[in-house]
Each structure stands twice: as C-alpha cells, then as structure tokens.
Amino acid sequence: MPTLTLLCLALLTATLATGTPATHTAAVNAVLDDWHKAAAQADEARYFGYFTPDAVYLGTDGTERWTRDEFRAWAKPYFSKGKAWSFTAVSRHVSFSKDGAVAWFDEALSTPNMGPARGSGVLVKDGSTWKIAQYNLSIPIPNDLMDDFKNRIEAHEKKRTEKKGK
C-alpha cells in the first residue's frame, strides 16, 4: 500500500508541476490572442516580444520569408502609423509535444483587409512562457477557384521574373 501511495503522490506532483493539457492550451491561446491584439493596437514591442530571437514569419506572398528582425523592419512603418493589422481567431487547434515544451497550432482568422485567412505555427516553451518560433499566414483558396488562381499566379510570377531580367 505505501508503494501505491507514493506512486499516486508522484503522479499528482508531476501533474501539478507540468500543468494539465487544458492549462497549456489556455496559455498558448492567451499568447496568440494577445499577439494578434498587439498588432491591432500597433504595439510593436509587445508584438515582437512574443517571437523567439530566431523566429521565422512566412507571409502570404511567396517571397515573404522573414526572420524576426527582417519582419520587424518590414512592419515598422505600419506600427509607426499607429495601425498595423487586425486578425481575430475564429477557431484554433493546438497540439503539444510529449514533453510539453513545443506546441503547434492552426487557426482560422477573420481579417478586415484580406477576408478569411489561416495561420499556423510553432511555439516553444521558454521558462514559463511561450514564444512563437514560426508563423505561417495564408489565404485559403476554395478548390473550385484553384485553376483560375493557379493561372493568375503563374502569369504574375512570369511578369515578376521578366521585370527582374530587365
């Protein structure tokens, strides 16, 4: 019986130390929700404070792959004007590594300027806080519209390539 008591006590201690999955999910949701809110409020320091130093941000354009610092330089004019962008999560799914130190998510977004969008990414635990290591912003294209968009994107890329060649 003492062995069972010790085992239960160890399990309870481990659960209290690591938290429950619901607690981890709530923490990740709070980070992502406040991160989006920081952009809407043009709070540059708070927004970029959520990134790891080596974070990567993938934008909707195929050329948009930025390190945290490159993305910050690109976004600075928007934040300086007091109006960045406004993304609101409509739904979000969060998963965790077995050790609870890494989280990945996907979220459906409502945006006033782009319409429906999607974000996905990876967060890593830094002490007791979560930091964004990668974020990928995309615009879902309905399958019925794919052929038209594919043709338009290929034509755009061809023009972009021809422009670079001149």
Side-chain angles (χ1 to χ4, degrees):
M1 194 68 143
T3 305
L4 182 58
T5 303
L6 286 175
L7 183 59
C8 289
L9 184 59
L11 182 59
L12 178 62
T13 304
T15 301
L16 292 174
T18 60
T20 64
T23 304
H24 290 309
T25 301
V28 167
N29 282 331
V31 165
L32 293 170
D33 289 344
D34 193 57
W35 180 61
H36 289 312
K37 188 175 180 181
Q41 296 172 343
D43 188 335
E44 181 182 357
R46 191 167 103 226
Y47 183 82
F48 286 97
Y50 280 115
F51 283 107
T52 62
D54 60 347
V56 172
Y57 187 98
L58 302 168
T60 56
D61 189 291
T63 65
E64 296 174 339
R65 185 192 188 279
W66 294 303
T67 64
R68 178 199 63 184
D69 296 341
E70 290 168 339
F71 182 47
R72 189 172 194 164
W74 175 88
K76 188 159 191 65
Y78 297 96
F79 283 93
S80 296
K81 290 178 188 172
K83 186 175 181 179
W85 45 87
S86 180
F87 297 166
T88 303
V90 175
S91 67
R92 183 179 294 135
H93 302 94
V94 181
S95 299
F96 297 90
S97 61
K98 286 183 183 181
D99 66 359
V102 178
W104 55 95
F105 68 94
D106 61 89
E107 58 185 1
L109 301 168
S110 172
T111 74
N113 59 323
M114 296 187 316
R118 182 181 294 161
S120 62
V122 177
L123 291 91
V124 293
K125 196 124 190 217
D126 183 13
S128 63
T129 61
W130 288 98
K131 296 284 187 173
I132 299 166
Q134 184 185 67
Y135 190 78
N136 185 3
L137 178 64
S138 64
I139 301 170
I141 299 172
N143 289 334
D144 291 345
L145 302 177
M146 186 55 69
D147 286 341
D148 180 49
F149 273 92
K150 177 186 170 287
N151 293 334
R152 293 174 70 187
I153 291 167
E154 286 172 349
H156 177 77
E157 290 299 316
K158 184 177 178 183
K159 284 182 186 177
R160 183 184 282 177
T161 303
E162 288 171 356
K163 241 183 190 178
K164 284 182 181 180
K166 289 183 181 182

